[in-house]
């Protein structure tokens, strides 16, 4: 069976990206990490890519102020490495329409709450967990979804749930959800690789 060629876009730590790379290395995921792009030259994601020997690129709007040029640079890097699926892993920028069109229906993201709740513009990081706690939700968990040009609105591919406990804090909830993220992202990609989930 052919392996899925993955290209990552990540802005910070890159722990989700790492969990996917680890699953590939362990032979649990029939995919190959081909290339990593970050808009942040100091990101953990770029460090991790270098440690893993995966081609890594710093491509940002500082280097490419015009959206179209930025999109072209991202597309060029991914095409160079024959990327088939884009994996957003904590990418803090809105992906340009040109990239979304080029990889039509083959861009995935992970969100740390049960979409369609607690998504949309400005809902990222701690804000998501804070909103979940403030709303008095009894459960939360990550969603893996396809990316279109509206924030967090693409088709939901998979979700995993954890209870929200009365004494949860943003820290305790986010670390429990992050653990589930590290499971569900590689699992979902494997289901795509096996044709169990069609994208
Ligand atoms: C995760 O919480 C993910 O849900 C969100 O950004 C965070 C990225 O964390 N999209 P990491 O960089 O993968 O550690």
């Amino acid at each position: 069976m052919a392996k899925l060629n993955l290209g990552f876009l990540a802005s910070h730590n890159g722990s989700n990206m790492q969990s996917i790379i680890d699953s590939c290395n362990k032979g649990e995921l029939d995919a190959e990490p081909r290339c990593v792009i970050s808009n942040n030259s100091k990101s953990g994601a770029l460090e991790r890519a270098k440690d893993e020997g995966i081609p890594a690129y710093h491509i940002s709007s500082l280097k490419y102020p015009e959206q179209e040029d930025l999109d072209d640079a991202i597309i060029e890097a991914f095409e160079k490495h024959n990327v088939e699926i884009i994996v957003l892993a904590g990418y803090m920028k809105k992906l340009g329409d040109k990239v979304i069109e080029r990889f039509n229906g083959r861009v995935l993201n992970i969100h740390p709450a049960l979409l369609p709740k607690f998504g949309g513009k400005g809902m990222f990081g701690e804000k998501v967990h804070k909103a979940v706690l403030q709303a008095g939700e009894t459960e939360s968990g990550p969603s893996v979804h396809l990316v279109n040009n509206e924030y967090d609105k693409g088709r939901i591919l998979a979700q995993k749930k954890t209870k929200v406990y009365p004494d949860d804090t943003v820290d305790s909830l986010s670390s429990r959800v992050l653990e589930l993220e590290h499971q569900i992202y590689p699992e979902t990609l494997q289901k795509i690789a096996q044709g169990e989930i069609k994208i």
Side-chain angles (χ1 to χ4, degrees), residues 12-17 89-90 109-112 178 181:
H12 295 298
N13 181 15
S15 71
N16 273 290
M17 181 191 86
N109 184 40
I110 190 157
H111 184 78
L178 189 63
E181 292 181 38

Side-chain angles (χ1 to χ4, degrees), residues 139-155:
E139 54 185 22
S140 189
S143 305
V144 176
H145 65 96
L146 292 177
V147 173
N148 58 20
N149 49 17
E150 280 185 279
Y151 278 107
D152 302 325
K153 286 282 175 63
R155 175 159 64 100

Side-chain angles (χ1 to χ4, degrees), residues 98-111:
K98 202 170 172 183
V99 182
I100 294 175
E101 270 162 37
R102 164 63 183 80
F103 288 87
N104 187 19
R106 302 181 77 82
V107 183
L108 272 69
N109 184 40
I110 190 157
H111 184 78

